[in-house]
Amino acid sequence: MNDHVVIAHGGDVSQPSGGTNRVSAFASGLVEHGYDVTLVVPQPEDELPDRLSTVDIRPVSVPNSGLADQPIRAVAITHTAKRIASQTDATVQFEHSTLGGVGQLLGVRGYVLDMHDLAFESPLYGNIPLGSAVQRVIRRVEGRAVRSADEIVVVSENMRDLAHEAWGIDRASITVIQNGYFANEVTTYRTAETVSGRVSFLGTLHPKLNVDAIFEIAQLSEVEELVVIGDGAKREALEAGKSEHSLDALRVAGRLPDEEAFDLVAKSAVAINPQLPSDLQRASSPVKIYYYAALGAPMVLSEGPSVATALEDKGGAVVVPFEESFPDAVQAVLRDDAQRREMSETAARAAERMSWQSRVESLTRLY
C-alpha cells in the first residue's frame, strides 16, 4: 500500500458520535503518521472538529436526511472516492460494510474495510415495511464487501466472531481495532469533585438503549439527578416517560458541547450504559465507556461489549447480566463510597491504554 489513503464515510463528520469520532481519529491520525489522507463525506451541516484541519476534506452534496437517502448517498460518495483514488493511486478505506459493498459493486478493488457494526441486523432496517427483505439485501451487500476486501478491521473480538459466523471469514484475517477516546479532551476534568446522587448517561440514544431501566434508576431514593446526554431514536420515549412517570430527577439534556458533557460525567457518582440484549450490542465497542473510564467515572454497564468485561476484570466497572436488575446494581454502587473511589482510580488507569492514539498506531501497522 502507498502513502495516499482515501477514506469514504457516509455520515456527517461535523456531528459528534462514536462513529464520526472513529473516522476523524483515523483520518487525522494517519496524517500525523505521514500519510496523505483524503476524506470523502456528505456536505457537513456544522463546523468540522479542529483535528480534521490537516485532512483533505472532499464534501459531496447528497441528501442526508434518513434511510431512504442511503443508496443515493452511498453511490455518490463511493463514486467520488473511486475517482480520487484512481487519480492518486490511493488505497480506499470504506467506513461501514454497506458502503464497502456498494464500492465493490462499483468496481473498487484493493480496499480496506472498517466495520463499525453489522448493518443487516440493525433494527433500523428490521422495523421498516418489508424490513426482513431489506435486511436480506443488505446482508448480501455486506457479504460482497467483506469477501472482496484486502483488509478487514472490526471494533471488537465479538464482532470478529459475528463476521466469521455470518460470512465464513477466517478470524485470523480480521484485525480488531477497538474504539477509544481523545486524551486531550478529558485531561482538565479528571480532578472534578463528585456531585452526590448524580447519575449520567452519555452517547447516542440508539434503539438498543434500555429506557425502562433509566426510568427505574430515576426513581431511586439515592438519585438526585439522572442526566441523559445525547440524541437519537429513543429521545422521544425518554421525554414521554419523564412526563408520564413524573420523573423530576430525569433530565433529558440532548446534545451538549463536549466541555459541558464531560464536566457532567466527570462529576457523576455513577455513569451508566443500560442496554437491551442483541448480537449488535454484544459486538459493539461503545465510545462512551472509554470516556467514562478516562474521566474516572464509576461505571455500571450492561453485559456484552468486550471492553465492559475488561474493565470489570480490572475492577473499574460493575457489569450487569441481562437476567439481573440494572437499577439494583446502580443503587448498590451509589451506596458504597469506598467501592466508587476504587472503581474511579482503576478505570482511569485502565484508560491510559485506550486512547485513539494507540488505536491509530494499530491502523498504521496494518497499512
Side-chain angles (χ1 to χ4, degrees), residues 267-329:
K267 292 178 179 177
S268 296
V270 175
I272 60 171
N273 190 34
Q275 302 284 298
L276 300 171
S278 69
D279 285 343
L280 285 182
Q281 185 272 342
R282 180 169 60 88
S284 64
S285 179
V287 168
K288 65 177 69 64
I289 295 179
Y290 299 103
Y291 276 100
Y292 290 170
L295 291 165
M299 287 168 275
V300 178
L301 312 171
S302 289
E303 67 175 333
S306 53
V307 62
T309 303
L311 284 166
E312 182 183 43
D313 290 345
K314 292 180 173 65
V318 169
V319 174
V320 186
F322 288 113
E323 64 270 16
E324 298 182 9
S325 170
F326 195 97
D328 285 354

Side-chain angles (χ1 to χ4, degrees), residues 218-361:
Q219 297 177 66
L220 295 174
S221 59
E222 292 82 2
V223 175
E224 298 292 332
E225 178 187 32
L226 198 175
V227 56
V228 177
I229 307 162
D231 204 352
K234 285 296 183 78
R235 181 171 180 175
E236 185 176 343
L238 285 167
E239 291 175 336
K242 172 181 170 63
S243 175
E244 179 182 350
H245 302 295
S246 300
L247 300 175
D248 294 336
L250 178 58
R251 174 187 168 197
V252 184
R255 283 199 180 115
L256 295 175
D258 284 350
E259 56 271 18
E260 186 175 350
F262 295 152
D263 184 64
L264 284 166
V265 173
K267 292 178 179 177
S268 296
V270 175
I272 60 171
N273 190 34
Q275 302 284 298
L276 300 171
S278 69
D279 285 343
L280 285 182
Q281 185 272 342
R282 180 169 60 88
S284 64
S285 179
V287 168
K288 65 177 69 64
I289 295 179
Y290 299 103
Y291 276 100
Y292 290 170
L295 291 165
M299 287 168 275
V300 178
L301 312 171
S302 289
E303 67 175 333
S306 53
V307 62
T309 303
L311 284 166
E312 182 183 43
D313 290 345
K314 292 180 173 65
V318 169
V319 174
V320 186
F322 288 113
E323 64 270 16
E324 298 182 9
S325 170
F326 195 97
D328 285 354
V330 173
Q331 186 176 52
V333 174
L334 285 171
R335 289 176 173 178
D336 194 331
D337 294 347
Q339 181 187 18
R340 292 202 312 276
R341 284 194 296 271
E342 183 176 348
M343 290 170 67
S344 176
E345 295 170 1
T346 302
R349 286 197 300 271
E352 293 175 1
R353 299 186 177 183
M354 296 176 173
S355 71
W356 278 121
Q357 181 179 359
S358 65
R359 310 313 196 201
V360 170
E361 289 170 357

Side-chain angles (χ1 to χ4, degrees), residues 14 17 43 55 89 101 104 120 125 147 161 205 214 261 276 285 295 328 364 367:
S14 71
S17 69
Q43 182 70 47
V55 178
D89 192 27
Q104 193 274 340
F120 78 85
Y125 302 106
R147 293 190 183 101
D161 292 341
L205 308 182
I214 289 177
L276 300 171
S285 179
L295 291 165
D328 285 354
T364 304
Y367 272 100

Side-chain angles (χ1 to χ4, degrees), residues 74-128:
V75 169
I77 289 169
T78 299
H79 177 74
T80 302
K82 179 183 178 183
R83 175 174 53 79
I84 295 171
S86 65
Q87 292 170 348
T88 58
D89 192 27
T91 299
V92 176
Q93 177 172 314
F94 287 112
E95 301 295 330
H96 290 293
S97 46
T98 48
L99 193 61
V102 173
Q104 193 274 340
L105 287 167
L106 293 182
V108 180
R109 300 292 181 266
Y111 57 86
V112 174
L113 176 64
D114 181 28
M115 296 179 63
H116 299 213
D117 52 28
L118 273 66
F120 78 85
E121 292 198 347
S122 172
L124 290 175
Y125 302 106
N127 294 336
I128 63 175

